[in-house]
Amino acid sequence: ELPSLHIFGGDKDRQVPHQRSEALADRFASRKILRHEGGHFIPSSKSYVADILAWIRETLSKTRGGL
């Protein structure tokens, strides 16, 4: 089981249709999905950065003993 973080921006993403992003994320059992209203980028607002850091910290805390 591989933890994964998926960040995508709905209908405004012109590089990858959101249906393909959703289909990819669905292939991971242990996934976290962050959606935003922008295009093909990782948002840099404080709330998104906090969510990303929280996921990284949580994932590291779960895997430290198992790596």
Side-chain angles (χ1 to χ4, degrees), residues 14-48:
R14 294 180 186 217
Q15 279 73 36
V16 180
H18 71 91
Q19 296 90 343
R20 291 184 71 192
S21 296
E22 295 278 355
L24 175 63
D26 285 345
R27 294 182 175 265
F28 291 83
S30 179
R31 67 184 172 272
K32 168 85 173 175
I33 298 173
L34 296 177
R35 292 178 179 85
H36 60 88
E37 296 302 317
H40 193 81
F41 65 89
I42 298 174
S44 59
S45 68
K46 286 183 181 183
S47 63
Y48 283 102

Side-chain angles (χ1 to χ4, degrees), residues 45-56:
S45 68
K46 286 183 181 183
S47 63
Y48 283 102
V49 171
D51 287 344
I52 293 166
L53 288 174
W55 180 85
I56 292 169

